[in-house]
Amino acid sequence: MSQHDMLTWLDQHAGKTYGNYINGQWVDSSNGKAVPLYHTARKSQLLGYFPDSTETDVDAAVVAANEAFKSWSKMPAPDRGAILMKFADLLERDIDELAYMLSAEQGKALAESRGEVARAAKETRFAAGDAIRMDGETLPGERTHVWNSTIRQPIGVIAAIAPWNFPVVTPVRKIAPALAYGCTVVFKPASNTPWATTKLFSLLAEAGVPKGVVNLVIGSGSNVGDPLVKHPLVKGISFTGSTKQGVAIHEIAAKRLVRTQLELGGKNPAVVLDYANLANAAKQIVGAAFACSGQRCTAISRVIVLKEQAEALTKALLEEIRLITVGPAWEQKANMGPLVNKSHLDSVQEYLRIGKEEGARLLAGGEILSEGEYAHGSYMTPALFDQVTPDMRIAKEEIFGPVLSVIAVEDEKEAFEIANSVEYGLAASVFTDNLSSAYRFAEQIESGMVHINHGTASAAYMPFGGVKQSGFGAYSIGSTNKDFFTELKVVYFQYD
C-alpha cells in the first residue's frame, strides 16, 4: 500500500456517478439529482456523484424490503449464514479497494481503514453463525399433555442509519445481523461518506443476497432519514450517531411502538489509580483518544488521575502524543489523518478556545496545519489539556475530535464520582494494580462497557452499547443483537 498505489487507484476509479440500490437494481434518484463528493485530503479530487434522494426513493426501497421479507425470513438459517460467510470472504478479497475508498472519503490512515474492513469481516462471520443460534426454551407444562416453548422470529424491515466516522464496519454491524436473523434492510449512509457503502452493496449482491433484501438510499437526513424512520412498514430502527438525533428518532418510533437500537455519544474516562506502568497507560490512552482523529464515540477524552501521579502521567502522555504523525492516508508514516471536513474542524477548534477561556492549560497541540500538503485537508495536531476541572465544558461535552483533558483528583472516591458526573455512559477504562479498585470500578462506573488496564477497544463478538445518554435498546454485536432483530413468541401445544 504505497502512496502510488492508492493515488493511482483513485485516479482510475474516482469521478463516477452512483445510484441507489433498490430491489436488486442500481437506479438514479427519482428526482434525477446527484451531488458531488470530494476527497478529504485532496479537496480538488472528485470522488463521485451521489444521489440526492427523496421520500419517493425511500418508499420504493421499503416496499421492496417488505416484499422480500416474505421469502427471506423463510429461507433456512444455514443458507442465510452461508451467504454472509461469502460476503465476509469478499470483504477480505477487496480489502485494499475498500480501504482506499474509505480513507479517501473519511480521511483516516490506511492502516486504520484496513483494520476497519477486517473487523467488518469478523463481525459478519459471527453474525453468520448466529443465524442458527436463534434459540428458545422448552419448559414443563403446568397441565398434562401440554408442551410449552418459546421461539424467535425476525421482526421485518429494518431502517439502518449510520454516521460518517466508520463507513464500512457500522453498516456491516447493522446489515449482517439483520440478514442473519431473517430481517430485510433499507440502509441510509451519512451524506459525507457514501462511497465505500456502494462497494459494500455490490459485494452483498455478489455474495448472493436476493433482490429487495438489502436496499441503499443515499441522501440527506431530512429527505431520506426522516421518511425512512416514519415509514409504516419499518419495524425496527438501528441508528448510530449523535444523542440529540437519536432521541428525536426514538420519539418518532415510540409513537408507533417501533423498537429502536441506538448507539449514541460518549465522554469516556480513563481513570488511573496507583498504576506502576504509566508508560503503558499513556500508550493505551493516547491510542484510544486519537484513533480516527478522535472522531469516534468510544474515544477516551478524559483522563482522571490521582494527584501524586498526575505529573508523571502527563509527561508520559506528551511523549506518546509526540509519536503521532499527522498526514494524508497514503503517507506511510501518518497515523492520524485529517478531520472529516472544515465545518467539523471549526467545531473542534471552538472547544479549544472554550477550554482556554475556562482556565484549562493547553499543554500541546491544537494547531491547524495548512501548509503544503496540509492545505488540501482539515488537519490539526492532537491536543492535550491539563488543569481541567469537572465543571468545564471540555470535561462534560462530547468534542468528537483529537482533544484529551487531564483531571487531577485526591482519591479513588473522587475519581469515580467525576467519571460518573457526565450525561454519557458508553465506555470507561481504569488503570490500576489494585484488584479491589478494579472490581469497585467495574461495579460503580455508569458505563455500558468497562475496560481494565487497557483502552476502549472492543471485540468482534462482544455486545457493544451504552447507558444514560449513550444508548438505548439492545446492544449491537454479539448475542444481544437477537433482542432487537427478533421478537419472542410463546407456543402452547396440547396433545392427546
Side-chain angles (χ1 to χ4, degrees), residues 241-243 263-269 294 296-302 394-401 419 422-428 446-447 449 466-471:
S242 72
T243 297
E263 296 176 9
L264 308 175
K267 190 66 178 174
N268 310 299
R296 62 185 189 123
C297 57
T298 54
I300 290 175
S301 60
R302 298 179 293 152
I394 59 170
K396 296 190 298 183
E397 299 177 12
E398 185 179 36
I399 299 173
F400 215 66
V422 298
E423 63 181 359
Y424 300 104
L426 185 58
E446 297 168 357
S447 178
M449 297 175 287
V467 298
K468 297 162 69 171
Q469 294 293 300
S470 287

Side-chain angles (χ1 to χ4, degrees), residues 134-358:
M134 290 174 62
D135 55 326
E137 294 181 290
T138 299
L139 300 173
E142 61 181 15
R143 297 181 299 277
T144 58
H145 299 160
V146 176
W147 190 294
N148 304 328
S149 61
T150 64
I151 61 174
R152 287 191 173 273
Q153 296 182 314
I155 62 174
V157 178
I158 302 297
I161 304 173
W164 47 260
N165 55 339
F166 287 92
V168 170
V169 76
T170 305
V172 169
R173 184 170 294 171
K174 299 177 185 301
I175 294 169
L179 300 193
Y181 293 123
C183 296
T184 56
V185 178
V186 178
F187 179 72
K188 180 206 171 306
S191 299
N192 289 333
T193 54
W195 197 23
T197 306
T198 62
K199 176 67 176 178
L200 291 179
F201 275 74
S202 293
L203 296 183
L204 285 164
E206 185 178 348
V209 176
K211 69 176 185 177
V213 173
V214 289
N215 302 271
L216 170 66
V217 184
I218 301 171
S220 68
S222 58
N223 293 333
V224 173
D226 288 352
L228 180 57
V229 167
K230 295 175 182 176
H231 201 288
L233 293 178
V234 167
K235 303 303 182 184
I237 303 163
S238 181
F239 169 81
T240 301
S242 72
T243 297
K244 180 180 178 181
Q245 188 60 44
V247 170
I249 287 172
H250 187 67
E251 288 176 347
I252 294 169
K255 293 179 180 179
R256 294 198 292 116
L257 295 181
V258 169
R259 65 180 64 182
T260 56
Q261 181 186 54
L262 307 177
E263 296 176 9
L264 308 175
K267 190 66 178 174
N268 310 299
V271 176
V272 182
L273 303 170
D274 298 318
Y275 189 62
N277 193 347
L278 292 180
N280 177 64
K283 183 175 182 178
Q284 295 279 344
I285 291 168
V286 168
F290 300 116
C292 196
S293 303
Q295 302 170 126
R296 62 185 189 123
C297 57
T298 54
I300 290 175
S301 60
R302 298 179 293 152
V303 179
I304 303 167
V305 56
L306 297 179
K307 286 183 178 179
E308 55 263 33
Q309 288 194 305
E311 183 178 352
L313 177 62
T314 301
K315 181 180 178 182
L317 290 171
L318 287 169
E319 290 175 355
E320 284 295 325
I321 289 172
R322 292 189 186 104
L323 299 178
I324 294 176
T325 300
V326 179
W330 59 82
E331 293 290 352
Q332 291 192 352
K333 292 183 179 180
N335 48 15
M336 188 177 120
L339 275 67
V340 68
N341 55 40
K342 176 65 163 53
S343 174
H344 190 55
L345 174 63
D346 291 342
S347 173
V348 175
Q349 287 291 311
E350 176 64 10
Y351 272 106
L352 295 180
R353 184 194 65 77
I354 291 169
K356 288 184 284 188
E357 192 175 79
E358 290 181 319

